[in-house]
């Protein structure tokens, strides 16, 4: 009888941890969604030839890194872990977009179709 009770308590604890992980990932996703709008606006500005200050690239990049650190602190298993990984990839993609836009912005007279693409080789950690 005690063993069954212990198993139920353990299941409830695991369920609570999974729920917390889902909620934490959802919170990060919400913040990244806000940043994605900012990045999209930068993309429109840069692609239309508008000169943008470096700070407008640095701030969203730093905010993305903060969200990445939040994700790193989330202990997750199963589906929550997959969602966390997907959000990490999404943040990395936005960061690469910022890098490309910054490159284009720094040399607005270059032919955008011949611009060199710089990509980041992200190191991944399984937790």
């Amino acid at each position: 009888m005690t063993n069954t009770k212990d198993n139920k308590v353990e299941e409830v604890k695991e369920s609570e941890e999974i729920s917390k992980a889902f909620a934490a990932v959802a919170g990060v996703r919400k913040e990244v969604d806000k940043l994605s709008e900012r990045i999209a606006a930068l993309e429109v500005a840069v692609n239309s030839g508008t000169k943008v200050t470096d700070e407008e690239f640095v701030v969203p990049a730093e905010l993305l890194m903060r969200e990445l650190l939040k994700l790193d602190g989330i202990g997750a298993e199963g589906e929550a872990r997959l969602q966390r990984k997907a959000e990490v990839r999404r943040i990395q993609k936005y960061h690469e977009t910022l890098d490309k836009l910054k490159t284009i912005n720094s040399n607005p007279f270059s032919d955008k179709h011949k611009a060199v693409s710089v990509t980041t080789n992200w190191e991944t950690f399984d937790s």
Side-chain angles (χ1 to χ4, degrees), residues 30-44 90 94:
K30 185 176 179 182
E31 291 302 313
V32 173
D33 286 344
K34 291 177 190 175
L35 288 169
S36 72
E37 293 172 12
R38 192 170 179 175
I39 294 166
L42 276 173
E43 195 166 18
V44 168
R90 184 172 168 230
Y94 283 132

Side-chain angles (χ1 to χ4, degrees), residues 68-75 84:
L68 201 55
L69 289 172
K70 286 180 190 177
L71 286 172
D72 191 42
I74 299 171
R84 184 184 70 189

